[in-house]
Amino acid sequence: MPRQLRDGTAGGPRQWSRTAQTQRALLDAARQVFTERGFSDASIADIVERAGSSVGSLYHHFGGKSELFVALWEQHQLAHEEAATKAVADARNKGVTDPGQLFETGARAFLHGSWQRRDLTLLFSSGDVPPGFDMMRRRRGREWIGQNDSLLRLTDRPEDRVYAAILTSLIGEGAYEVAAARTRRQAEKIIDAVTEYARRLMAGGPWHPGIEPPSIGTTAGAGLGLDGIH
């Protein structure tokens, strides 16, 4: 996150506007350079040249190349969260209460965001990342699991936690495949496939020892259709 936002530096509206413009220009330039060359081969000189800024300004606002990469990732994650939250809220306002339908609605918003920002999705999945980034990404993944726990109204039992983790991982892996699609039409087919797999997993609910889950063949899709929530 930019230092201006982390430190809460005070300033008038004009100063804030200049700061925001500089940060935006650096983030936009970093996005271009990172997605073209990868993190390791990207240079600060290239980023500031494209931003029309200076090395000193980059270090002032972000602290360095790694911090700039992380700031891009944080904005990408925030966009995912805002889109999923809005989609779920809109579905609830339309009267949808079934947890499975709400999860699918949020998942679709997440996956569509992965296509819209596919350059960033592929960048952050490439493995060419700053030191410590994978740990941050795992921590964020655990947060997503916790949010899905709540959305699906699960208990704190280990098997429920694993169930939420499997569903969350499915959406995460699906996001990469969506971003790698060659066309929007192909991406939409992948989104349909991912949500169908999620629907099948949700058909029987989480496994609990001593309780046999119902057959997928007789319950798949029950109460989890897409009608009315596209």
Side-chain angles (χ1 to χ4, degrees), residues 171-203:
I171 303 306
E173 290 300 318
Y176 174 82
E177 296 299 329
V178 168
R182 293 187 298 274
T183 64
R184 176 64 181 265
R185 182 176 181 180
Q186 187 181 62
E188 291 291 346
K189 288 183 177 180
I190 295 170
I191 291 172
D192 287 342
V194 172
T195 51
E196 173 60 23
Y197 290 136
R199 189 186 300 118
R200 294 185 184 193
L201 283 169
M202 290 188 290

Side-chain angles (χ1 to χ4, degrees), residues 59-140:
Y59 278 101
H60 171 72
H61 290 292
F62 293 97
K65 187 172 80 166
S66 295
E67 291 85 351
L68 192 52
F69 186 95
V70 170
L72 273 177
W73 176 73
E74 287 177 339
Q75 289 199 350
H76 182 58
Q77 292 300 305
L78 180 60
H80 271 320
E81 186 165 349
E82 289 177 343
T85 298
K86 183 180 184 302
V88 170
D90 289 346
R92 282 178 169 148
N93 289 337
K94 293 176 182 178
V96 178
T97 59
D98 181 84
Q101 284 185 316
L102 293 173
F103 176 85
E104 185 175 327
T105 300
R108 281 184 169 272
F110 185 98
L111 293 167
H112 277 115
S114 298
W115 169 254
Q116 292 161 5
R117 298 181 302 281
R118 52 195 177 276
D119 59 331
L120 293 176
T121 300
L122 295 174
L123 171 66
F124 300 134
S125 302
S126 67
D128 182 11
V129 295
F133 178 77
D134 286 335
M135 184 176 295
M136 291 179 57
R137 184 164 50 188
R138 285 195 296 271
R139 184 166 60 245
R140 185 68 187 96

